[in-house]
Amino acid sequence: MRFSKTIVFFAVVLLSVGCQTLAKRSSTGVIVARRAQIRSSTAVVAADLLQVNRGDVVDILDSTDVTDPSDNSRKERWLRVKAHDTDTTEGWIEARNVMPDDVLAQSKKLEAEDKDVPAQATGQLRASSNLRLTPDRSGNENIMMRLDSGSSFDIISWKRVPKPKSSESIETDVAPKAGSAQQGSAKSGQQDNDEEAEETNELWYKVRLTTATSPAPAGWIYGKQVELAVPSDIIFYRTGREFVAWQRLDGENKEHAAGDKDVGRDAKPGSWLILEKSSSNQPHGLDEPDFDRVYVLGYDKRNQEHYTAYRSPDLRGYLPAKVEGQGEDKSFTVRIQEEEGGPTKEVRYSLYKDARGVLKVNAPNIQQGRRRR
């Protein structure tokens, strides 16, 4: 009798441990593909059980790596999931179509870091690309999902990071083959011109996305895949320098619609804060400024034409730029580095209109010094 009780005791303990292990492995995930199928198995001839759409939540029960039928050297990750439909359908789905809840939580943390920072610019993808948790394309571990070509987003900030070795990364950061567990090694760098070949670092954009574009609200995108969508209201006022950031000074900045193929369109003309940067064929440095001139473009409603309200001398400026105030009482702030290599400080520019209604700028006195030694 004592022996039997011992056996029962250990059976209960083992069962309890097994349940705890399963619970730790189990989690939830959100569908990131526009449409995907939950299938009866991982086989090519498996039956489709249920179509799921972007934003649907599923329970992740298990996972396995399956050899790619078209390439025996590749493994594709599959997940066994349970859908939240009326039949609580269970089946298998390719892992690339699901974002686990812990990854989504990391993306939300990125979003929270910049909750008080307004969009500095807008952009859209030239080609289907990876949305990553960090500005690093040396591996696949930080990939959240694949964004479609033409996807639009707000740009919150950007940074330059050392360029990874070509043997360790793909050149364009086009998303790898579906479910691939191995690092790609495509070398499209042959198409780069001589100036680009000399670059030792690369540009990344930190972006904010709409729920229709991505369940993940924020992430990083490789700069070569991004085209800045300068509003049509100001695009023709470029004079040899690139517009790198912009915000409206009269009313709210336009929120682009998800999937809008013309995110630069702005129906209502107005006044703008524009940050410009000079073009250069020299390799970019990691600590170079985000912009080198402040440009304020006013708008005369009566004559329906723009005019230059302010153009700063050359400076070393850093994001973020913030427009503050209401109505006629507005100002904007940016960070300026007075001495190259020195600290930055936040400076404020106040706006007002003269007796004729012309927009004017009270600019701070900024001393631009030489590089520190």
Side-chain angles (χ1 to χ4, degrees), residues 82-124:
K82 180 169 66 175
H84 290 189
D85 62 329
T86 54
D87 298 324
T88 59
T89 303
E90 289 190 24
W92 292 87
I93 188 171
E94 291 175 277
R96 69 185 177 99
N97 295 321
V98 181
M99 182 182 297
D101 53 3
D102 60 331
V103 175
L104 182 59
Q106 293 180 68
S107 176
K108 290 180 177 179
K109 183 177 180 181
L110 283 178
E111 180 190 35
E113 292 173 356
D114 302 304
K115 62 182 178 63
D116 297 324
V117 178
Q120 304 295 297
T122 53
Q124 58 190 135

Side-chain angles (χ1 to χ4, degrees), residues 308-324:
T308 298
Y310 173 76
R311 181 176 277 125
S312 76
D314 287 355
L315 46 74
R316 296 177 62 84
Y318 295 84
L319 300 179
K322 294 183 180 181
V323 176
E324 300 171 306

Side-chain angles (χ1 to χ4, degrees), residues 286-305:
L286 292 176
D287 59 349
E288 69 178 36
D290 295 325
F291 59 93
D292 53 31
R293 191 163 68 184
V294 175
Y295 179 26
V296 176
L297 189 67
Y299 182 69
D300 185 339
K301 293 182 179 179
R302 182 176 180 179
N303 296 320
Q304 297 186 3
E305 61 183 13

Side-chain angles (χ1 to χ4, degrees), residues 138-172:
S138 60
N140 290 343
E141 298 78 10
N142 63 348
I143 295 176
M144 287 187 280
M145 64 176 291
R146 178 174 181 160
L147 293 175
D148 298 331
S149 176
S151 294
S152 55
F153 39 79
D154 288 332
I155 295 172
I156 306 305
S157 63
W158 54 80
K159 68 182 300 185
R160 293 187 180 276
V161 300
K163 189 174 182 180
K165 296 179 181 179
S166 59
S167 61
E168 297 176 350
S169 68
I170 56 176
E171 282 295 320
T172 62

